[in-house]
Amino acid sequence: QPVGIAYRGYDSSAGRDVAILVLDPVPSPGARRHFESEARKLARLRHPHLLAVIGFGEYGDQPYLISDYVEGASLPDLMAAHRFETSEALAILRSVAVAVDDAHFAGVLHGQLTPSSIMIASDGAPVVSGFGLLTLETDEPVAQAVSSRFTAPEQVALRTLSPAADRYSLAAVAHVLLTGVPPSSFAFWLMMGF
């Protein structure tokens, strides 16, 4: 679920394009404090396969994050255009897994890892975006309910977020990348009582 509106901007002092995510709706005062805490963690993360957050702040009462702008294509767009060879898929998954693990080590969880949160840069490198965004609009580090074929059952049922939930999501991404078919939602619907 989106937590804001993304814009492409230009950093004139650095002479480069940037991405600006403006949180929408405006978070509560408690959520603002949590936003600042999460944004600081995100800004400290540095990994070649993680989208780098290079700044954050508020404009009026609207919090925003500034990150690197990645020239490339989303993983779903590339998957729609062609089927990845197994070796290509495994190289992408290996890079994403290492990036996710490094983020966990730094205390940052993703919470909604899907193929859409993975970009393939113009140089072929995968870049994971969206870390920490699921918890930015709450005043506690507890995930919202997310319903997706890529979401761990405990995250849906218990609304808890953990490194294990991100690993489950990564395994679901691996499934669709290797088979071309999203994982079955049968277990998800059983959890929801349908």
Side-chain angles (χ1 to χ4, degrees):
Q1 296 180 4
V3 296
I5 303 166
Y7 299 94
R8 183 175 179 172
Y10 184 74
D11 181 349
S12 56
S13 60
R16 64 177 177 162
D17 289 337
V18 295
I20 304 165
L21 178 70
V22 179
L23 265 61
D24 185 40
V26 175
S28 68
R32 258 176 228 266
R33 287 188 297 276
H34 184 65
F35 164 77
E36 290 174 14
S37 170
E38 287 296 300
R40 280 191 189 90
K41 283 191 224 174
L42 292 170
R44 286 193 298 265
L45 278 179
R46 288 291 176 261
H47 190 282
H49 300 294
L50 293 177
L51 184 66
V53 171
I54 54 179
F56 63 93
E58 287 189 21
Y59 182 76
D61 64 348
Q62 205 85 48
Y64 63 85
L65 287 174
I66 301 173
S67 65
D68 285 341
Y69 178 79
V70 177
E71 195 73 52
S74 72
L75 187 57
D77 287 347
L78 292 174
M79 289 168 56
H82 79 283
R83 177 94 184 249
F84 284 93
E85 294 294 326
T86 302
S87 59
E88 292 177 291
L90 291 176
I92 291 169
L93 292 167
R94 187 177 302 111
S95 297
V96 170
V98 170
V100 168
D101 193 50
D102 281 4
H104 289 167
F105 186 75
V108 179
L109 302 171
H110 195 289
Q112 53 187 1
L113 186 65
T114 68
S116 297
S117 53
I118 301 169
M119 292 281 296
I120 305 299
S122 53
D123 66 359
V127 179
V128 183
S129 65
F131 266 93
L133 295 184
L134 189 64
T135 63
L136 286 182
E137 56 183 9
T138 63
D139 49 6
E140 296 178 6
V142 176
Q144 309 169 17
V146 175
S147 55
S148 151
R149 292 178 178 192
F150 300 94
T151 306
E154 69 269 21
Q155 186 176 343
V156 174
L158 306 175
R159 299 181 71 171
T160 60
L161 192 53
S162 69
D166 279 351
R167 288 187 205 101
Y168 178 97
S169 297
L170 180 58
V173 169
H175 185 280
V176 74
L177 189 55
L178 291 166
T179 67
V181 179
S184 169
S185 58
F186 180 72
F188 167 73
W189 292 117
L190 280 179
M191 290 290 299
M192 298 306 290
F194 291 97

